[in-house]
């Protein structure tokens, strides 16, 4: 096990009708005037935003509302939110929604006390200094979908739409002080949103599970495997019974535990699949879970020989492939079974199956590959195998 640190300060408040406690928890963390941030969609139409606003006001809190968040949340709305919060004297931010709303809220929270451009925290070009946030405004979450884990993570992902740039800022200053998780709020989700959420949850532990350390380490191997089993079991249940409370509750908790750092203790996460998928999302507005369903199996096919023992364990333990001395065949069968599971959820597993994405060319692959976030001094990305531009193009080819 590698030397490691672990921090998870987010209070998780789990159970039916817990969203009605939002005012109580905002007061507990010192809020007085609250930005209520959402996407103006179903959460507004069904009356949830108004119900939460009433719960806040019942505790004597003032409420300022800002809707309009879109998938792959835009920097432009973040700027609007910062301006509105400064104008109104907001001292606490409450996100009502999923990952996009939470990330937009996190960016506003970082930008509010910052004198410069909040995009400074996200920029990755070598010629422009990367700013580190030092202050943030407290935020809470009322979660409406189990997916990104942003309700308990230190990550924030924002899209600069005019340049098709999807970039992130990972910093513990981003972690919400509380997250309210009422499984009842997820029961009206369309099947595809539930499916893509499940894939997103699994991906966050996959990025930590598939490590360059040969064999991983026993405890976090099993913690990540528990996330995988939970997602696959609950996914199958919800295909037939979308109103199953226990399955919904388990997925909400899995979402938070998969991305709060728990499954990455003592190991080096890879994250290449996420960075590659961000280019698909940035260029073609692909739903993150859908893009990951395409990229992760292709990445596995390309890199698995770099850590045969760990991929073999995953294939036999998680995907239930019968053990044999032919490790390559076992692992390839495991990847095929993963693709079958993703298909069973209704997810795409090939680039040509992604909604709204044209037939991609070699030129498209090269353009996206060159823009993938660089991690190592030589410009490569990933840790299981350090991937250069040619490697990333090869992964796109495998995803066709």
């Amino acid at each position: 096990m590698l030397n490691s640190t672990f921090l998870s300060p987010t209070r998780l408040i789990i159970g039916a009708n817990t969203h009605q406690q939002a005012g109580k928890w905002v007061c507990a963390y010192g809020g007085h005037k609250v930005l209520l941030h959402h996407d103006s969609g179903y959460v507004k139409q069904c009356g949830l935003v108004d119900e939460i606003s009433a719960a806040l006001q019942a505790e004597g809190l003032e409420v300022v509302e800002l809707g309009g968040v879109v998938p792959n949340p835009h920097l432009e709305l973040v700027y609007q939110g910062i301006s509105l919060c400064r104008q109104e004297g907001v001292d606490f931010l409450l996100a009502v929604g999923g990952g996009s709303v939470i990330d937009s809220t996190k960016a506003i929270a970082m930008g509010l006390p910052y004198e410069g451009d909040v995009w400074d925290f996200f920029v990755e070009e070598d010629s422009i200094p990367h700013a580190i946030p030092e202050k943030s405004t407290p935020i809470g979450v009322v979660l409406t979908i189990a997916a990104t884990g942003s309700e308990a993570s230190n990550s924030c992902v924002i899209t600069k739409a005019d340049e098709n740039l999807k970039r992130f800022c990972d910093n513990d200053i981003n972690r919400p002080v509380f997250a309210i998780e009422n499984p009842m709020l997820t029961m009206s989700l369309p099947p595809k949103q539930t499916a893509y959420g499940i894939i997103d949850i699994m991906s966050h532990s996959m990025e930590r599970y598939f490590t360059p350390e040969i064999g991983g380490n026993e405890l976090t191997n099993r913690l990540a495997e528990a996330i995988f089993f939970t997602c696959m079991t609950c996914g199958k249940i919800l295909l037939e019974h979308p109103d199953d409370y226990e399955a919904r509750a388990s997925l909400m908790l899995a979402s938070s535990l998969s991305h709060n750092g728990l499954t990455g203790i003592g190991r080096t996460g890879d994250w290449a699949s996420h960075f590659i998928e961000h280019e698909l999302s940035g260029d073609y507005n692909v739903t993150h879970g859908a893009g990951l369903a395409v990229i992760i199996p292709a990445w596995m096919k390309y890199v698995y020989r770099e850590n045969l023992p760990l991929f073999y364990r995953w294939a036999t333990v998680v995907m239930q492939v019968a053990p044999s001395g032919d490790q390559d065949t076992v692992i390839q069968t495991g990847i095929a079974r993963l693709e079958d599971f993703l298909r069973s959820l209704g997810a795409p597993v090939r680039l040509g199956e992604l909604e709204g994405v044209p037939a991609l060319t070699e030129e498209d692959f090269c353009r996206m590959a060159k823009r993938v976030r660089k991690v190592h001094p030589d410009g490569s990305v990933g840790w299981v195998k350090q991937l250069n531009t040619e490697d990333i193009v090869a992964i796109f080819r495998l995803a066709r």
Side-chain angles (χ1 to χ4, degrees), residues 72-375:
N72 302 312
H74 289 183
L75 178 63
E76 188 58 39
L77 186 64
V78 172
Y79 288 148
Q80 292 179 34
I82 293 168
S83 177
L84 177 63
C85 287
R86 287 173 176 167
Q87 177 183 330
E88 295 289 341
V90 165
D91 61 8
F92 194 98
L93 286 74
L94 184 65
V96 180
S100 294
V101 174
I102 300 167
D103 282 4
S104 184
T105 305
K106 287 179 176 181
I108 294 170
M110 282 190 290
L112 190 50
Y114 182 56
E115 294 183 358
D117 184 343
V118 69
W119 187 248
D120 294 345
F121 302 137
F122 298 87
V123 70
E124 293 170 359
E125 286 69 20
D126 293 337
S127 60
I128 304 174
H130 182 87
I132 306 298
E134 297 178 354
K135 295 181 181 178
S136 188
T137 310
I139 77 169
V141 174
V142 176
L143 190 64
T144 61
I145 180 172
T148 69
S150 189
E151 70 276 1
S153 80
N154 69 356
S155 183
C156 174
V157 183
I158 296 295
T159 297
K160 195 171 188 289
D162 59 338
E163 297 181 35
N164 290 336
L165 289 177
K166 185 173 180 178
R167 296 292 183 258
F168 71 92
C169 171
D170 283 358
N171 191 295
D172 284 330
I173 208 167
N174 283 327
R175 294 184 189 267
V177 294
F178 70 78
I180 293 174
E181 303 185 358
N182 175 4
M184 303 292 292
L185 299 182
T186 71
M187 290 187 180
S188 59
L189 289 169
K192 277 192 176 181
Q193 280 191 272
T194 297
Y196 294 156
I198 289 169
I199 296 162
D200 208 352
I201 296 168
M202 292 179 70
S203 76
H204 291 139
S205 283
M206 283 180 168
E207 295 282 21
R208 294 173 167 97
Y209 182 88
F210 292 112
T211 174
E213 292 84 49
I214 300 300
N217 71 69
E218 188 60 26
L219 177 59
T220 48
N221 282 351
R222 291 187 178 275
L223 291 172
E225 288 160 4
I227 297 290
F228 304 149
F229 280 122
T230 297
C231 288
M232 291 189 292
T233 300
C234 293
K236 291 173 183 175
I237 292 171
L238 293 174
L239 285 173
E240 295 187 11
H241 306 287
D243 59 349
D244 188 292
Y245 180 90
E246 291 300 325
R248 294 283 182 185
S250 291
L251 283 179
M252 277 193 134
L253 184 56
S255 169
S256 300
L257 299 185
S258 189
H259 205 25
N260 72 347
L262 179 67
T263 58
I265 296 174
R267 59 205 300 147
T268 304
D270 186 79
W271 297 103
S273 295
H274 265 72
F275 300 157
I276 294 170
E277 195 288 323
H278 282 173
E279 298 310 312
L280 277 175
S281 298
D283 272 3
Y284 302 104
N285 202 31
V286 170
T287 300
H288 188 47
L292 289 168
V294 171
I295 296 300
I296 287 176
W299 171 84
M300 287 180 166
K301 294 170 188 176
Y302 194 76
V303 308
Y304 74 83
R305 291 183 181 87
E306 304 295 323
N307 194 340
L308 281 169
L310 187 58
F311 277 89
Y312 182 82
R313 174 182 173 129
W314 168 81
T316 55
V317 173
V318 179
M319 303 315 298
Q320 301 287 287
V321 182
S324 83
D326 184 353
Q327 290 186 318
D328 274 68
T329 299
V330 168
I331 294 167
Q332 291 169 14
T333 302
I335 296 170
R337 289 189 181 182
L338 174 63
E339 291 180 328
D340 288 342
F341 169 70
L342 298 174
R343 287 191 184 98
S344 76
L345 295 177
V349 295
R350 297 288 183 270
L351 289 168
E353 298 168 3
L354 288 168
E355 294 180 10
V357 178
L360 298 178
T361 65
E362 287 287 310
E363 183 179 347
D364 295 323
F365 294 162
C366 290
R367 182 191 70 253
M368 290 188 290
K370 288 176 181 177
R371 296 205 323 179
V372 169
R373 180 182 185 266
K374 308 303 186 288
V375 173

Side-chain angles (χ1 to χ4, degrees), residues 19 41-54 96:
H19 65 284
Y42 182 73
V43 294
K44 183 67 175 177
Q45 297 160 15
C46 75
L48 178 62
V49 169
D50 292 339
E51 185 179 355
I52 292 170
S53 180
V96 180

